[in-house]
Amino acid sequence: MTSVLFDAPGPRARRRHKIVGVLTVIAMLAVLAAICWKFWSEDQFTAQKWEPFVTPSIITLLLEGLWRTVQAAVLAVAFSVVFGVVFGVGKLSNHRWLRWPCWLVVEFFRAVPLLMLIIFLWVTYSPQLITSFMALVIGLTLYNGSVLAEVFRAGINAVPKGQAEAAYAIGMRKTQVMTIVLLPQAVKIMLPAIISQCVVALKDTSLGFVILAPGLTSAGRLIWGTFNNRLATALVLAAIYIVLNLALTWLATKAQQRLAGEQKISIVGGVVRADTGESSVPV
Amino acid sequence: MTLQLLVVSGALALVLGTLIAIARVSPVPILRRVAATYVTFFRNTPLLVLLLITYYGLPEIGIIWSFFTLVTLAMGTYTASFVAEALRSGVNSVSMGQAEAARAIGLPFTQTMTQVVLPQSFRAVVPPLASVFIALAKNTSLAAAFGVLEATFRMRGLLNDRPDERPLIFLGIALGYIVIVELISLGSQLLERRWKVER
């Protein structure tokens, strides 16, 4: 790899880099060895700690948890996209009575910790009105929805002005301009931010743990309750989440590439400016 | 407690994140790979699962530290990966001429980074870093799940004591978080204005 930050390494530099590399590898191996030794000396490698994860019933339990987690994530993402579009457009409205409440709602739910929101929903309404699963989905929707509202607003603002002007000039109404001209382009521009928000939503489903909502983390709780292998369970959960998120990111990049391919055509037509910029969206 | 947690784990995240960002652009391939792996691992694991690992897991292998240390460790390492990513984008935004000039006057990589590139990239990433820290402030509420006596935890107690005033309590504590969040974003705006690059 070449970079502006350093020269192409000469013989001495290459030797130095090799030394640093070897030292790093040794350090990493030492850390790994220390971890293994710790595991060993505290009896973490015993079969009874890890065996559950190859037992069919436990695998089913984990899969069930995975299914509920994915379900919660998909529902939350779908609802929050709707929420985000409505409030994002609302924040851009010409009417003050519409703009202000939207602004207030978005700012409020963006600033409040998601966990608090979920606990509040659960404690206040739980057994009679909503299940813990619903509390989780509603909480996720409110939080991610308001973040997405900001994303959509930024995206709509990033669409070149001429687009809206042209649409008005050919006699479209405000709603038409928004839905036919501005929103589709805004979504395209903001796709990276939207995707990263999806990953956040998926990760945040783990919060269901606190309110006993069904999901991966709750399945984990069951497992270590039975087998008393917390560390092993937590590591397995982490691995599942990482694989899940990497898969999601990979899928999203694919989708983005396809959309970007479309965009390239329109650039040739001289219409769309592919200005994604740095998203200023909190993670 | 929330504030203490925020400050300590924020500092940890900043230091660790900076080191990782440097490693990610360093000339040593293995260092780059290690840093990239770190970021992938910590960015894709939910904070809750990390907390499970440190809070339940580490004591099981004989590392018995206080609540606070374990929770801070999880939050610091988690946030560090986001800091590293933000900083890396900042390093990329520093104009090429700067790094080239530094190299031309014979500065080695470490000096190029610490004296020329990093100071400028910190300036560039003030807003994204602020949103990372805002997220951290909100994530401190997760510590509640692990029994750290903390604002959200208090809410849970209060909620159970007085069922009628629940919405009010919720609003009050939400307001507390909003104040913290606003303070961070105000601070970042201030920094941004003071450090404005004149180009």
Side-chain angles (χ1 to χ4, degrees):
Chain A
M1 180 180 126
T2 51
S3 155
V4 281
L5 291 173
F6 45 82
D7 300 292
R12 264 175 64 196
R14 265 206 296 273
R15 205 160 50 224
R16 207 172 53 230
H17 291 170
K18 232 174 237 163
I19 291 168
V20 174
V22 169
L23 283 181
T24 318
V25 170
I26 289 172
M28 287 290 136
L29 285 180
V31 170
L32 261 181
I35 292 173
C36 285
W37 183 77
K38 266 284 181 199
F39 270 54
W40 185 255
S41 62
E42 302 287 335
D43 288 336
Q44 283 292 331
F45 277 140
T46 49
Q48 92 214 41
K49 298 264 186 206
W50 291 92
E51 198 202 351
F53 300 110
V54 288
T55 322
S57 61
I58 298 296
I59 293 179
T60 334
L61 187 67
L62 274 177
L63 281 180
E64 226 164 80
L66 179 67
W67 169 235
R68 294 309 293 263
T69 292
V70 171
Q71 226 176 352
V74 169
L75 279 177
V77 166
F79 287 142
S80 47
V81 165
V82 174
F83 185 96
V85 167
V86 169
F87 280 84
V89 171
K91 273 185 85 169
L92 288 170
S93 161
N94 287 335
H95 307 288
R96 191 173 296 162
W97 53 266
L98 203 63
R99 208 165 50 219
W100 264 88
C102 285
W103 178 84
L104 200 68
V105 167
V106 169
E107 288 300 310
F108 181 78
F109 286 116
R110 241 161 46 115
V112 173
L114 177 58
L115 182 72
M116 248 182 73
L117 205 61
I118 294 174
I119 291 179
F120 174 75
L121 282 170
W122 182 59
V123 172
T124 318
Y125 300 109
S126 89
Q128 308 91 346
L129 282 170
I130 55 175
T131 62
S132 53
F133 183 74
M134 277 160 69
L136 178 63
V137 172
I138 295 172
L140 279 171
T141 304
L142 288 176
Y143 173 69
N144 288 306
S146 358
V147 176
L148 281 180
E150 279 298 288
V151 172
F152 282 125
R153 193 179 60 98
I156 290 170
N157 280 337
V159 174
K161 259 215 180 90
Q163 296 279 325
E165 282 164 9
Y168 283 124
I170 57 170
M172 283 183 168
R173 294 192 47 75
K174 263 195 287 193
T175 34
Q176 283 179 316
V177 173
M178 195 50 93
T179 52
I180 301 177
V181 179
L182 292 181
L183 262 181
Q185 297 188 47
V187 169
K188 237 183 239 176
I189 293 175
M190 280 310 183
L191 210 56
I194 295 171
I195 289 164
S196 69
Q197 201 55 40
C198 289
V199 174
V200 171
L202 183 57
K203 272 165 48 177
D204 282 348
T205 52
S206 63
L207 294 180
F209 174 77
V210 180
I211 58 166
L212 306 172
L216 269 178
T217 35
S218 297
R221 190 210 293 271
L222 274 178
I223 292 171
W224 83 58
T226 324
F227 297 98
N228 194 26
N229 55 348
R230 293 187 164 145
L231 185 59
T233 314
L235 286 175
V236 169
L237 287 184
I240 296 176
Y241 265 108
I242 289 175
V243 170
L244 210 57
N245 280 323
L246 286 182
L248 179 62
T249 317
W250 179 80
L251 259 178
T253 341
K254 280 273 170 256
Q256 201 181 337
Q257 271 164 7
R258 274 189 64 179
L259 274 177
E262 254 175 64
Q263 215 167 29
K264 225 174 260 163
I265 298 166
S266 44
I267 287 169
V268 174
V271 187
V272 177
R273 190 169 50 106
D275 178 19
T276 41
E278 268 304 326
S279 61
S280 56
V281 186
V283 238
Chain B
M1 196 68 191
T2 296
L3 280 177
Q4 213 178 339
L5 212 56
L6 173 65
V7 170
V8 178
S9 49
L12 176 66
L14 203 59
V15 173
L16 200 58
T18 312
L19 286 179
I20 290 162
I22 295 176
R24 261 203 108 163
V25 293
S26 80
V28 186
I30 292 171
L31 272 182
R32 282 202 299 269
R33 211 147 315 139
V34 169
T37 315
Y38 178 94
V39 170
T40 319
F41 177 79
F42 282 95
R43 247 168 53 129
N44 286 317
T45 316
L47 179 58
L48 188 86
V49 175
L50 275 185
L51 280 167
L52 283 179
I53 293 177
T54 58
Y55 180 75
Y56 286 140
L58 291 187
E60 259 188 29
I61 57 170
I63 301 175
I64 296 160
W65 289 333
S66 65
F67 274 166
F68 186 79
T69 325
L70 291 172
V71 172
T72 311
L73 185 70
M75 296 217 289
T77 47
Y78 175 78
T79 313
S81 64
F82 290 97
V83 172
E85 278 302 271
L87 260 182
R88 195 169 64 108
S89 71
V91 168
N92 287 338
S93 78
V94 173
S95 64
M96 260 167 55
Q98 295 282 331
E100 279 170 352
R103 266 172 52 201
I105 58 170
L107 295 183
F109 174 73
T110 37
Q111 278 184 23
T112 313
M113 278 312 276
T114 53
Q115 309 204 345
V116 179
V117 176
L118 269 187
Q120 296 187 50
S121 41
F122 264 113
R123 266 181 207 170
V125 295
V126 167
L129 268 189
S131 55
V132 168
F133 284 117
I134 287 173
L136 177 62
K138 290 191 292 184
N139 281 338
T140 54
S141 64
L142 263 175
F146 294 85
V148 174
L149 201 74
E150 195 250 4
T152 310
F153 194 61
R154 210 157 286 160
M155 178 181 95
R156 224 169 161 185
L158 284 174
L159 282 178
N160 290 335
D161 290 347
R162 307 183 189 162
D164 304 334
E165 297 165 24
R166 275 170 184 169
L168 264 182
I169 296 166
F170 174 69
L171 271 179
I173 298 190
L175 215 65
Y177 274 104
I178 292 173
V179 167
I180 296 177
V181 168
E182 285 306 315
L183 276 181
I184 295 177
S185 62
L186 261 182
S188 95
Q189 273 167 20
L190 217 90
L191 272 183
E192 214 183 332
R193 221 174 306 145
R194 273 191 58 183
W195 286 358
K196 207 175 219 166
V197 194
E198 282 159 33
R199 277 194 182 134

